[in-house]
Amino acid sequence: MRSIARNKVKLNSNTGILPPIQRIRLEKIRKESKSWVPMWSGDSEYEKFEVHGWPTNMVVDLGKRLCTCGFWQLSGMPCVHACAALARVGRRLEEFCHQWLTMEAYNNTYAFHINPIPSQAL
Ligand SMILES: [Zn+2]
């Protein structure tokens, strides 16, 4: 009950799409993505990329939110390869995070409360 009440107001002043912990994680991935080189496949939607780097190349589809490394599909957050491709197309990384990582999901989690109850003696 206490932690729900505490978390409910904890991020009231937070502005932005993502909570601070997710924003920090995404920023770390964004920095690591600079060592990867996205190459556009030539598709009409400008969404399919081959991302070159070490130890292998990855295929990223921004429209389907897929990367062959699997990180994006599993975590909901764009991987280093997807971030490299998103930087190429000039899109905001936050918009490609899954809904479950957003402030909206955080606020929905703490939208409810647990009713206080008296002790057993009463
Ligand atoms: Zn990837």
Side-chain angles (χ1 to χ4, degrees):
M1 187 172 81
R2 245 181 302 175
S3 65
I4 287 173
R6 192 173 44 233
N7 289 341
K8 195 172 208 166
V9 294
K10 200 176 193 176
L11 299 183
N12 268 352
S13 61
N14 184 59
T15 56
I17 298 170
L18 301 178
I21 188 74
Q22 303 301 352
R23 208 166 43 231
I24 291 165
R25 281 180 60 209
L26 189 60
E27 181 58 22
K28 188 169 174 261
I29 294 170
R30 190 191 62 77
K31 282 180 183 162
E32 290 170 6
S33 75
K34 290 179 178 175
S35 57
W36 291 83
V37 181
M39 296 179 70
W40 179 45
S41 68
D43 67 308
S44 54
E45 289 84 25
Y46 200 37
E47 289 177 339
K48 294 187 171 99
F49 288 84
E50 194 174 277
V51 184
H52 290 236
W54 188 89
T56 184
N57 301 335
M58 296 290 172
V59 174
V60 170
D61 187 327
L62 299 177
K64 292 180 180 163
R65 300 186 177 207
L66 297 173
C67 179
T68 45
C69 78
F71 179 87
W72 199 1
Q73 297 93 304
L74 287 172
S75 69
M77 183 172 279
C79 58
V80 289
H81 321 105
C83 286
L86 287 166
R88 170 63 60 85
V89 300
R91 300 290 301 271
R92 289 186 64 197
L93 303 180
E94 292 87 350
E95 292 168 9
F96 286 82
C97 288
H98 194 278
Q99 192 273 335
W100 65 44
L101 299 173
T102 62
M103 274 306 297
E104 185 188 352
Y106 181 90
N107 290 329
N108 287 343
T109 300
Y110 298 107
F112 305 98
H113 67 276
I114 295 175
N115 286 321
I117 52 170
S119 67
Q120 268 186 322
L122 299 172

